[in-house]
Amino acid sequence: MLAGSYRLLRFLDPLLRAWWQMASLGITARLEVRGRLSGRPRSVLVGVLTVDGHWYVGHPNGPSAWTRNLRAAGRASVQLWHRPAVEVRAVYLRDGEERDAAILVTAAQQPFPGNLLYRAARRHILAVGDYLRLDPLEADVSEAGPS
């Protein structure tokens, strides 16, 4: 069920990006990460979930090209609609409470009709979903040295 939805989203990607630029798409943000093989910047629209003030992203059908790139790079840039991009550190979530919380909140935070798909596929996503926490690097100013 979700695989067909993602094929449709890939087909509609140019239209969705234009719509996102003009009017937002709920929790959708632009994530830019370096390709693990090419080293070139790759951009994808993702849903940014929020749990207890932390940001999460993931793919419900397991590892995808962009989640593999994000895991390999360990860092990315996230741009919420009409806000400056934020540099983040990506932390892979293994099975456990934090990962489950990020997955379970998806159905509540995803706009219609995505919320229905995520609710219907919850058991599948809990079994195979590939999720990461995004920690903003702004707090790591000590790494950059004195200004």
Side-chain angles (χ1 to χ4, degrees):
M1 174 166 62
L2 286 174
S5 300
Y6 278 96
R7 276 193 293 273
L8 177 62
L9 287 174
R10 275 194 304 274
F11 176 74
L12 295 174
D13 186 72
L15 178 63
L16 293 171
R17 285 175 186 267
W19 185 271
W20 177 75
Q21 286 291 333
M22 293 182 331
S24 179
L25 290 171
I27 62 171
T28 305
R30 186 180 63 82
L31 182 129
E32 187 173 289
V33 62
R34 293 232 172 254
R36 69 193 178 288
L37 301 176
S38 70
R40 293 189 308 233
R42 301 293 185 188
S43 173
V44 63
L45 294 178
V46 297
V48 176
L49 308 162
T50 306
V51 178
D52 296 330
H54 296 284
W55 289 352
Y56 296 91
V57 294
H59 196 283
N61 289 328
S64 66
W66 71 265
T67 61
R68 286 183 187 104
N69 287 342
L70 186 55
R71 287 172 65 176
R75 292 179 185 231
S77 171
V78 176
Q79 183 184 10
L80 301 172
W81 185 67
H82 280 273
R83 294 189 182 161
V86 175
E87 297 297 316
V88 295
R89 176 180 295 119
V91 179
Y92 174 68
L93 300 178
R94 299 194 184 283
D95 288 347
E97 290 180 26
E98 183 178 18
R99 178 182 169 275
D100 290 352
I103 291 170
L104 294 174
V105 78
T106 306
Q109 293 183 11
Q110 194 68 248
F112 178 83
N115 60 342
L116 300 178
L117 291 170
Y118 279 92
R119 193 168 284 123
R122 183 175 288 159
R123 185 180 309 173
H124 166 76
I125 299 168
L126 285 166
V128 302
D130 195 24
Y131 282 75
L132 300 99
R133 184 180 67 240
L134 303 178
D135 296 331
L137 292 175
E138 298 160 357
D140 291 346
V141 291
S142 61
E143 290 181 11
S147 34

